[in-house]
Amino acid sequence: MTPPSPLASRLGFIAPFHVMSLLEQARQLEQQGHDVIHMEIGEPDFGTPPAIIQAGMAALQAGHTGYSPALGLPALREAIAEDYARRFGVQVPARRIVITAGASGALLLALAALVSPGKEVLLSDPAYPCNRHFVHLLEGRAVNLPVGPDSQYQLTADHLAQHWSADTVAALVATPSNPTGTLLSAEALAALNTAALARGGRLIVDEIYQGLVYDQAAHTALAQSDQLFVINSFSKYFQMTGWRLGWLVVPEAYLNAVNRLAQNIFIAASTPAQHAALAAFQPDTLSLLEQRRLELKSRRDALLPMLQQLGFRINSQPQGAFYVYADSSTLAGDCEALSARLLQQAHVAITPGIDFGQHRAREHVRFAYTVPVPRLEQMAERLRKVL
Amino acid sequence: MTPPSPLASRLGFIAPFHVMSLLEQARQLEQQGHDVIHMEIGEPDFGTPPAIIQAGMAALQAGHTGYSPALGLPALREAIAEDYARRFGVQVPARRIVITAGASGALLLALAALVSPGKEVLLSDPAYPCNRHFVHLLEGRAVNLPVGPDSQYQLTADHLAQHWSADTVAALVATPSNPTGTLLSAEALAALNTAALARGGRLIVDEIYQGLVYDQAAHTALAQSDQLFVINSFSKYFQMTGWRLGWLVVPEAYLNAVNRLAQNIFIAASTPAQHAALAAFQPDTLSLLEQRRLELKSRRDALLPMLQQLGFRINSQPQGAFYVYADSSTLAGDCEALSARLLQQAHVAITPGIDFGQHRAREHVRFAYTVPVPRLEQMAERLRKVL
């Protein structure tokens, strides 16, 4: 008889996304001929801008299909550095910008450089679920701190002061945040960074939704300090999800470590995708992206009152990304049952709060406004009938 | 004053590639106008086959730029399953085939599913260096077992019997092997698999260079067992290095764990690359790849006597991949000094053995025959003058 199979202990901490089973049910409904309104996936519905597509095709035609350098194409690292200067007035040397396979690759590099086994990373609850799973992948301990409307669902310097232990090495925040769409101000970021550095740790700032903000100018945490890690991506603002391209901005002291990790873990990011991304910063692409940002703003402005009329409560105004984190507690006791019911009865797919943490998670659902306003109206109409 | 920065302990085990500094020197020589013969990088010089390029361009034109499913495009998983049936007569259900960001992604998934902190993975020394670094990334212990010509530089079931401890969870072998180009027979693979399973562990087989064999028919370890992990890639045989696309064949018992890990660690592999790879199995592409395989065989057959005449010793006939692991001990005491000298004096770039391990590593160098025969002759002519 064969002995039992070894299974890594980390699997005990790595949960599947609940939304995946919902997606499967949605697919079945569609196969039965039903029209499902998809508001569950964190993916813009616009498609990659044409100039980026064209640049990708030209790169393939020109045979740019070999390995690129481990830290990325020099021209793309320079282009990102120039974009920081142009859009945000911040000088970030290209050597500190490392191109990765999506923001996932950037997060893995940053945490692999910081987290030894048993060390702690402070995170908000709710938060993007992969963050805590990456910490567990690397045998660290994710410390999920409950946050609510009083701090716009964000960690504060006070949280760090209260929960930083001898084992803590980093705090991870996101602005704009997934699932809540809330922001951190320049002052809040500066205070978080100071709090982390003062305790011998580092702040990691997820800026994946950078540029998708609606009530103020976009900014970057890099304006506050060159000692923090910044995670970014071509997926959301530049709408290149399926290309899998992101970047990590690395503090000088970690360049050697990140270089060694990148060489070994990834070899390199996709070469055709990097060539395509060079077109992301062209004026015509940037102006198209601005139009799309305004379209997302209109959707948000349309969606919020619809949800409130349906009985959802919005406890903190979402100001960025393309998510509304809605309090469903007066409508249903359990977000999972509610999401399942809305899918089956109204053919509207949304994400249950339990994908984002534990703190009051069963009382919330996330709506992604990745469909046009007429479709949002249709969604509201359908929900009205079943709620 | 700021306290010192946290640095993950794993960095103590993750070395940079020595060949990188060599590459930098080669670049400088080229900037000075010198002609460098590159035999240091594990990348075929043919470029991606035209039909794959065309399929990639068509996918971009059609707007296939969104996320694909976490485990890969169903059509590509099916195509790989069909290829196993057609080329090797082995039935591998598509559900066990997981598409990854290069073989790097596949290795990360397999080890993340198997290795808890402190657990051991048996590897050969010499071996592909990233393998042991991935084990350390996940806080396992890489046990590097010296191998030599007596076992064609491969682990054997005897190695497993001798070195398997209570903490061992897996053994990792590669066929064809990097850096030695040697193969494991069907019988050797079966014995290794039985030895691992009998001890409650798993065999991981790196088949990244599958198909690039010169003196016998290609085979797969999957013909021996459905209980082992197989790592594969579109990089080498299909010559898609820069696209970053690979796959992992997963034993049934690990599908759930690998699914959860893939969702969280990668989200998905590149969508355009997956669409492009669908053209990899077309008859015209396969016949082009066969021509290229024969070209590599000619190069190997030309290179081996050249190296022997120069005074290198080939202790085990390389039968696959595109590498010769040459014993340089009668020519120089140290491979690093030798590589540097050959680059500076002959403008020939090769990889020092110390990139592949410690066992007699300073007495070896690796030649990649990724240049045509006339260029190999030029290389030999240049080395003759300086050796």
Side-chain angles (χ1 to χ4, degrees):
Chain A
M1 218 191 94
T2 309
S5 306
L7 184 69
S9 51
R10 67 177 59 82
L11 269 305
F13 297 95
I14 298 180
F17 297 146
H18 293 87
V19 75
M20 288 293 171
S21 64
L22 219 85
L23 256 175
E24 187 46 43
Q25 291 166 45
R27 207 169 290 135
Q28 285 168 16
L29 284 169
E30 284 169 330
Q31 279 168 358
Q32 292 160 22
H34 295 293
D35 168 50
V36 175
I37 301 178
H38 287 281
M39 300 183 68
E40 79 279 43
I41 298 295
E43 180 163 39
D45 55 322
F46 305 118
T48 302
I52 300 177
I53 300 258
Q54 288 303 319
M57 291 174 66
L60 292 181
Q61 185 92 64
H64 295 314
T65 59
Y67 289 125
S68 42
L71 302 184
L73 287 182
L76 185 58
R77 300 168 74 190
E78 287 292 348
I80 294 170
E82 284 163 23
D83 191 57
Y84 276 122
R86 188 174 48 232
R87 277 205 289 168
F88 307 112
V90 179
Q91 300 304 317
V92 183
R95 71 170 180 282
R96 288 182 47 215
I97 298 168
V98 175
I99 311 296
T100 56
S104 303
L107 194 54
L108 181 55
L109 283 182
L111 292 173
L114 285 166
V115 181
S116 297
K119 295 297 180 185
E120 297 177 353
V121 178
L122 306 184
L123 304 162
S124 67
D125 177 355
Y128 177 59
C130 299
N131 292 348
R132 60 178 188 275
H133 292 145
F134 269 108
V135 176
H136 288 299
L137 175 77
L138 294 161
E139 297 300 333
R141 219 166 74 75
V143 179
N144 307 299
L145 303 175
V147 293
D150 53 321
S151 69
Q152 290 82 49
Y153 295 103
Q154 293 281 4
L155 292 186
T156 63
D158 279 351
H159 285 110
L160 271 54
Q162 278 173 46
H163 298 280
W164 201 282
S165 82
D167 284 328
T168 309
V169 293
L172 198 168
V173 296
T175 177
S177 147
N178 174 7
T180 63
T182 61
L183 310 182
L184 283 161
S185 68
E187 296 70 32
L189 283 164
L192 283 161
N193 182 59
T194 303
L197 286 179
R199 290 168 177 81
R202 294 285 168 153
L203 184 66
I204 306 171
V205 185
D206 165 352
E207 297 189 344
I208 294 172
Y209 295 92
Q210 184 176 54
L212 295 176
V213 297
Y214 308 118
D215 307 311
Q216 54 182 269
H219 62 162
T220 172
L222 295 165
Q224 308 310 316
S225 172
D226 57 6
Q227 296 300 308
L228 41 75
F229 287 84
V230 162
I231 286 157
N232 212 322
S233 171
F234 286 97
S235 291
K236 312 295 182 176
Y237 183 70
F238 297 103
Q239 294 140 30
M240 293 181 69
T241 47
W243 302 71
R244 313 305 301 118
L245 200 65
W247 73 87
L248 177 68
V249 183
V250 183
E252 203 74 48
Y254 288 88
L255 279 176
N256 176 286
V258 167
N259 186 2
R260 278 187 281 154
L261 287 165
Q263 280 177 18
N264 280 285
I265 302 179
F266 302 121
I267 302 181
S270 161
T271 301
Q274 291 186 73
H275 281 276
L278 284 169
F281 303 107
Q282 288 174 3
D284 55 341
T285 303
L286 293 175
S287 98
L288 176 65
L289 295 173
E290 173 61 11
Q291 287 169 38
R292 291 177 172 185
R293 185 188 70 82
L294 293 172
E295 162 68 15
L296 288 172
K297 180 182 190 314
S298 314
R299 294 179 186 178
R300 183 203 60 169
D301 294 345
L303 177 60
L304 287 174
M306 287 177 196
L307 293 179
Q308 283 162 328
Q309 279 164 27
L310 287 164
F312 292 97
R313 282 186 308 188
I314 316 300
N315 297 319
S316 188
Q317 171 84 356
Q319 298 182 295
F322 36 74
Y323 303 119
V324 177
Y325 189 63
D327 182 334
S328 53
S329 59
T330 57
L331 292 166
D334 180 73
C335 69
E336 205 172 6
L338 178 65
S339 303
R341 185 156 72 87
L342 296 186
L343 179 60
Q344 289 303 327
Q345 298 179 4
H347 302 159
V348 171
I350 56 174
T351 306
I354 49 172
D355 263 350
F356 306 103
Q358 302 199 307
H359 173 62
R360 296 198 56 207
R362 295 212 167 262
E363 299 165 40
H364 290 83
V365 291
R366 187 193 73 176
F367 289 81
Y369 41 97
T370 50
V371 297
V373 173
R375 197 74 169 146
L376 294 177
E377 285 162 354
Q378 210 178 348
M379 177 278 299
E381 187 57 36
R382 290 190 193 177
L383 293 203
R384 200 167 296 129
K385 289 185 186 148
V386 303
L387 281 174
Chain B
M1 215 193 94
T2 311
S5 306
L7 185 69
S9 50
R10 65 177 60 82
L11 269 305
F13 297 96
I14 297 181
F17 298 146
H18 292 88
V19 74
M20 288 293 170
S21 64
L22 219 84
L23 256 175
E24 187 45 43
Q25 291 166 43
R27 208 170 289 138
Q28 285 169 16
L29 283 169
E30 284 170 331
Q31 279 169 357
Q32 291 161 21
H34 296 291
D35 168 50
V36 175
I37 301 178
H38 287 280
M39 300 183 68
E40 77 281 43
I41 298 295
E43 181 163 39
D45 55 323
F46 304 117
T48 302
I52 300 177
I53 300 257
Q54 288 304 320
M57 291 174 66
L60 291 181
Q61 184 91 65
H64 295 315
T65 60
Y67 289 126
S68 42
L71 302 185
L73 287 182
L76 185 57
R77 300 167 75 190
E78 287 291 347
I80 293 170
E82 283 164 24
D83 191 56
Y84 276 122
R86 189 176 46 233
R87 275 206 290 167
F88 307 111
V90 180
Q91 300 304 316
V92 184
R95 72 172 180 283
R96 289 181 47 215
I97 298 167
V98 175
I99 310 297
T100 56
S104 303
L107 195 54
L108 181 55
L109 283 183
L111 292 174
L114 284 167
V115 181
S116 297
K119 296 296 181 183
E120 297 177 353
V121 177
L122 305 184
L123 303 161
S124 66
D125 178 354
Y128 177 59
C130 298
N131 292 348
R132 61 177 188 274
H133 292 145
F134 269 108
V135 175
H136 288 300
L137 175 77
L138 294 161
E139 297 300 334
R141 219 166 74 74
V143 178
N144 307 298
L145 303 174
V147 293
D150 53 321
S151 70
Q152 288 83 49
Y153 294 102
Q154 294 281 2
L155 292 187
T156 63
D158 279 352
H159 285 110
L160 272 55
Q162 277 173 46
H163 298 279
W164 201 281
S165 82
D167 284 328
T168 309
V169 292
L172 199 168
V173 296
T175 176
S177 147
N178 174 7
T180 63
T182 61
L183 310 182
L184 282 161
S185 68
E187 297 70 32
L189 283 164
L192 284 161
N193 182 58
T194 302
L197 285 179
R199 289 166 177 82
R202 293 284 168 153
L203 184 67
I204 306 172
V205 184
D206 165 351
E207 297 189 345
I208 295 172
Y209 294 92
Q210 184 176 55
L212 295 177
V213 297
Y214 307 118
D215 306 311
Q216 54 181 269
H219 63 161
T220 173
L222 294 165
Q224 308 310 318
S225 173
D226 57 6
Q227 297 300 307
L228 41 76
F229 287 83
V230 163
I231 286 156
N232 213 320
S233 170
F234 285 97
S235 290
K236 311 295 181 174
Y237 183 70
F238 297 103
Q239 293 141 27
M240 293 182 68
T241 48
W243 302 72
R244 312 306 300 120
L245 200 65
W247 72 88
L248 177 68
V249 183
V250 183
E252 203 75 47
Y254 288 88
L255 279 176
N256 175 286
V258 167
N259 186 4
R260 277 187 280 154
L261 288 164
Q263 281 177 19
N264 280 285
I265 302 179
F266 301 121
I267 303 182
S270 162
T271 301
Q274 292 186 71
H275 281 277
L278 284 169
F281 303 107
Q282 288 172 5
D284 55 341
T285 303
L286 293 176
S287 95
L288 175 65
L289 295 173
E290 173 62 10
Q291 286 169 38
R292 291 177 172 185
R293 183 187 71 83
L294 292 173
E295 163 67 16
L296 288 172
K297 179 182 191 311
S298 313
R299 294 178 185 178
R300 181 202 61 170
D301 294 344
L303 177 61
L304 287 174
M306 287 177 197
L307 294 178
Q308 282 161 330
Q309 278 163 27
L310 286 163
F312 293 97
R313 281 185 309 187
I314 317 299
N315 297 320
S316 189
Q317 169 84 355
Q319 299 183 295
F322 36 74
Y323 303 119
V324 176
Y325 189 63
D327 181 336
S328 52
S329 58
T330 56
L331 293 167
D334 179 72
C335 68
E336 206 171 7
L338 178 65
S339 303
R341 185 157 71 88
L342 296 186
L343 179 60
Q344 290 303 328
Q345 298 179 3
H347 303 158
V348 171
I350 57 174
T351 305
I354 50 171
D355 263 350
F356 307 103
Q358 302 198 305
H359 173 61
R360 297 198 55 205
R362 295 212 167 262
E363 299 164 40
H364 290 83
V365 291
R366 187 192 74 175
F367 289 82
Y369 39 97
T370 51
V371 296
V373 173
R375 197 77 168 145
L376 294 177
E377 285 162 355
Q378 211 177 348
M379 176 277 300
E381 187 55 36
R382 290 192 193 176
L383 293 203
R384 199 166 298 130
K385 290 183 186 148
V386 303
L387 282 175

